[in-house]
DNA sequence: AAATAATCCTGCGGGC
DNA sequence: TGCCCGCAGGATTATT
């Protein structure tokens, strides 16, 4: 179940393999994702080359150019405001994709492409450095989405109302404190509200609150600035550590090479209700926020 | 404006 | 063994 660290893991994998690749063909087997894949999707993509893969919230943005170019020797770091090694061609459009709950992109060498299996909805045929690949999108639950757009990100309804990225300076304690003054609901749900801050789903909300020692039920506007400082620090830390571990693999997450992540081994609370707290030994409790399981330590979290 | 509920979907695991 | 049911959950949309 991809959250920000899993999407970032996928982004890095895609860039490392497919930067500069030209899309030669697009095969859509099932258009019925979260929103239907538009009928002109395939025609819009064929012939374009991959300039970069960026991430905004849990969306992947494949920046595409009409002109082919040679991949730079050093990969361009798009997660940080980096310096392009070579001048990059002009972006003419963007493939916007979301993995939903169960989506995955796997890059196959074209000469060892398996026969399509159930839920293999989209194949992007690409050629990178004269080597043909097929980037295959699989999504059993079809909560993911995919479409192409031209123009500014801000004009995209899906991107227009997103809060700041948690791993940038746009998220700090002063911001979170200020923006929660009128929120009387549980901090857990505020953290998961994408208009406040993006990329923190159920798993990492649980983990961040535990590590910050904050009870998930505490009203957001009744948390002091000092405790917001700690919360912001832990949100950033838990996401950063999860990215370093290649994300979390519960049932089904795999990266672009089909490999699993390992951060689930470091969970303090998620999925551990009834088990002893790793810090104090108290049995962890389960409650629900908006249908989502919340696990917390009644001793460590206040 | 904020909070809550309903909705989409398939796979899996528990209970009987 | 097999069937039913609840649950998993991101994010939009609708409703209060």
């Amino acid at each position: 179940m991809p959250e920000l660290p899993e999407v970032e893991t996928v982004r890095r994998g895609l860039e490392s393999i497919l930067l500069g690749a030209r899309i030669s063909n697009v095969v859509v087997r099932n258009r019925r994702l979260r929103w239907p894949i538009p009928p002109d999707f395939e025609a819009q993509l064929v012939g374009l080359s991959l300039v970069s893969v960026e991430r905004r919230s849990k969306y992947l943005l494949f920046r595409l150019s009409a002109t082919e170019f040679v991949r730079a020797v050093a990969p361009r770091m798009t997660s940080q405001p980096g310096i392009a090694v070579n001048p990059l061609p002009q972006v003419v459009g963007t493939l916007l994709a979301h993995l939903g709950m169960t989506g995955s992109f796997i890059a196959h060498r074209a000469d060892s492409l398996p026969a399509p299996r159930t839920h293999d909805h989209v194949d992007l045929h690409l050629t990178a450095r004269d080597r043909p690949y097929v980037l295959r999108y699989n999504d059993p639950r079809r909560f993911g989405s995919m479409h192409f757009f031209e123009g500014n990100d801000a004009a995209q309804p899906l991107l227009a109302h997103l809060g700041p990225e948690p791993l940038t300076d746009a998220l700090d304690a002063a911001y979170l404190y200020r923006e929660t003054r009128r929120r009387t609901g549980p901090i857990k749900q505020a953290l998961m509200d994408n208009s406040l801050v993006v990329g923190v789903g159920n798993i990492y909300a649980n983990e961040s609150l535990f590590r910050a020692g904050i009870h998930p039920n505490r009203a957001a506007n009744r948390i002091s600035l000092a405790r917001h400082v700690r919360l912001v620090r832990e949100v950033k830390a838990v996401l950063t550590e999860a990215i370093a571990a290649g994300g979390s693999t519960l049932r089904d997450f795999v990266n672009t090479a089909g490999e699993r992540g390992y951060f689930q081994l470091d969970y303090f609370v998620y999925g551990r209700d009834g088990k002893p707290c790793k810090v104090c030994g108290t049995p962890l409790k389960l409650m629900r926020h908006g249908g989502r399981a919340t696990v917390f330590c009644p001793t460590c979290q206040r």
Side-chain angles (χ1 to χ4, degrees):
Chain A
M1 31 206 74
E3 295 191 26
L4 186 148
E6 291 73 36
V7 178
E8 179 62 23
T9 298
V10 171
R11 188 200 70 74
R12 293 179 183 188
L14 290 169
E15 266 207 350
S16 71
I17 299 170
L18 296 173
L19 208 62
R22 179 182 179 275
I23 300 172
S24 59
N25 192 22
V26 178
V27 177
V28 179
R29 295 184 197 84
N30 187 350
R31 316 193 82 85
R32 295 170 52 224
L33 301 184
R34 177 72 169 83
W35 294 280
I37 296 175
D40 50 356
F41 179 74
E42 296 94 316
Q44 287 172 313
L45 290 176
V46 168
L48 302 183
S49 296
L50 189 62
V51 176
S52 64
V53 185
E54 297 173 19
R55 179 188 56 73
R56 176 76 174 102
S57 186
K58 299 169 190 170
Y59 291 96
L60 289 165
L61 296 93
F62 298 74
R63 303 297 190 187
L64 300 166
S65 159
T67 52
E68 292 190 60
F69 69 103
V70 177
R71 180 187 195 270
V73 174
R76 180 169 169 268
M77 303 300 287
T78 52
S79 60
Q80 302 151 22
I83 299 151
V85 177
N86 291 343
L88 292 172
Q90 189 184 353
V91 170
V92 296
T94 302
L95 166 58
L96 182 63
H98 196 294
L99 301 177
M101 285 296 307
T102 53
S104 65
F105 278 111
I106 303 287
H108 297 276
R109 292 276 301 272
D111 56 12
S112 59
L113 179 68
R117 302 178 59 164
T118 318
H119 311 309
D120 284 342
H121 304 312
V122 179
D123 282 351
L124 298 179
H125 294 251
L126 304 113
T127 302
R129 286 153 288 158
D130 294 326
R131 199 177 263 183
Y133 290 88
V134 176
L135 184 61
R136 178 163 281 176
Y137 180 74
N138 178 286
D139 188 359
R141 269 172 255 188
R142 289 191 277 123
F143 278 17
S145 71
M146 220 177 281
H147 74 274
F148 176 86
F149 70 88
E150 297 173 338
N152 297 333
D153 295 357
Q156 290 301 304
L158 295 175
L159 303 176
H161 306 291
L162 295 175
E165 286 290 324
L167 294 180
T168 68
D169 291 341
L171 175 69
D172 61 20
Y175 167 85
L176 200 56
Y177 180 81
R178 172 166 31 93
E179 295 299 322
T180 50
R181 289 312 85 196
R182 262 177 274 279
R183 287 179 177 259
T184 58
I187 182 63
K188 164 93 184 309
Q189 283 176 281
L191 268 187
M192 293 175 65
D193 183 342
N194 280 337
S195 66
L196 188 65
V197 57
V198 301
V200 185
N202 195 40
I203 295 170
Y204 297 106
N206 276 296
E207 294 299 313
S208 301
L209 287 167
F210 173 82
R211 291 163 59 137
I214 297 172
H215 195 292
N217 242 3
R218 178 161 290 272
N221 67 346
R222 293 191 59 251
I223 295 173
S224 67
L225 178 58
R227 302 190 79 206
H228 274 293
V229 170
R230 190 169 170 198
L231 179 56
V232 165
R233 192 201 313 141
E234 295 303 331
V235 166
K236 290 174 187 279
V238 76
L239 293 174
T240 303
E241 290 168 25
I243 291 170
S248 300
T249 295
L250 296 178
R251 285 185 185 80
D252 38 29
F253 172 73
V254 288
N255 68 13
T256 317
E259 300 158 344
R260 300 161 66 85
Y262 294 96
F263 190 69
Q264 69 279 4
L265 302 175
D266 296 327
Y267 289 166
F268 281 97
V269 288
Y270 180 83
R272 299 192 65 247
D273 56 290
K275 297 197 171 85
C277 172
K278 290 184 180 180
V279 172
C280 76
T282 305
L284 298 177
K285 285 194 170 178
L286 173 70
M287 62 190 301
R288 279 182 190 280
H289 290 103
R292 304 288 183 273
T294 301
V295 185
F296 67 103
C297 174
T299 301
C300 295
Q301 293 174 259
R302 298 286 164 173

